[in-house]
Amino acid sequence: MTGYYLIIGISMLVSWFVSSRLKSKFEYYSNVHLRNGLSGKEVAEKMLRDNGINDVQVISVPGQLTDHYNPTDKTVNLSEGVYMQRNAAAAAVAAHECGHAVQHAVGYSMLQLRSKLVPIVSISSNLMQFVIMGGIVLMAMSGNKIVLLVGVIMFALTTLFAFITLPVEYDASNRAMKWLKDTGTVTSEEFVGVKDSLTWAARTYLVAAIGSLAQLLYFASLLMGGRRD
C-alpha cells in the first residue's frame, strides 16, 4: 500500500497548495471594490434577470466558500462573505453560481448528465473505500478479485463524475466572465480579479479529478496483478 499512500500524500499536498492560493486570491480581490457598488446578491439577481430567469431565488448561507446552485429548489446559495460584499471576488462567485442556473435553464447536457449520476455516485462514494480495502485483503488471502473489481468499478464512477464536473464548472465560469464583461458590470481592472479568482477556483476541481484518476489507476493495477506493496 506504499504506492497508495504516496498518491494520497501528493494529492493532499497539491490540493492544499491550490486551496491556499484560492483563499489568498479571494482575500486579495475582496479588497478590489466594485465601482458600481453592487453586492454579490445584486450581481446574481442582475445576471439572472438578464438571462430571462425569473424562478430562481438568491439566498444567503453560512460558511466560507459554501456557495452553490441548487437545481432542486432553484436557489443560488451565496456564502455570507459573498452575499453582501461589493468587490471583485464576490462578483466572480455570484456570477459563477448563476452560470449554473443558466446551464440549468438552457438544458446544458453535461450538467444534466452530472445530475443523473449524483444518486449513484453518492452511494458509491460512501461504500467504495470499504469495498476496495476488503477486496484487497480478500485477494491477498485467497486470490479472489471479484470484491476488488466491484470496488474499482465504484471508484471509476466517482472518477468519471469528477471529470464530468470539470466542463460544468469551466462552462459556468466562462458564462460568468462573458456576462460580466459584455454587460460592463465590472471594469477592465475588476475583470482581472474576476478571471484570476475563477481560474484558481476551477483548479481545485482539476486537482480533485487528477487525484481521483491516480488512485483509480493504482487500484486497477492491483486488480490486474500489479505490485501489492
Side-chain angles (χ1 to χ4, degrees), residues 42 44-54 179:
E42 292 166 337
E45 290 175 339
K46 186 176 187 299
M47 182 171 174
L48 292 173
R49 287 196 306 270
D50 287 354
N51 282 276
I53 300 174
N54 302 306
W179 176 80

Side-chain angles (χ1 to χ4, degrees), residues 35-47:
R35 292 183 185 177
N36 59 26
L38 295 178
S39 65
K41 173 180 180 290
E42 292 166 337
V43 168
E45 290 175 339
K46 186 176 187 299
M47 182 171 174

Side-chain angles (χ1 to χ4, degrees), residues 79-90:
S79 61
E80 297 166 339
V82 171
Y83 189 78
M84 294 303 297
Q85 295 300 311
R86 306 170 188 275
N87 51 58

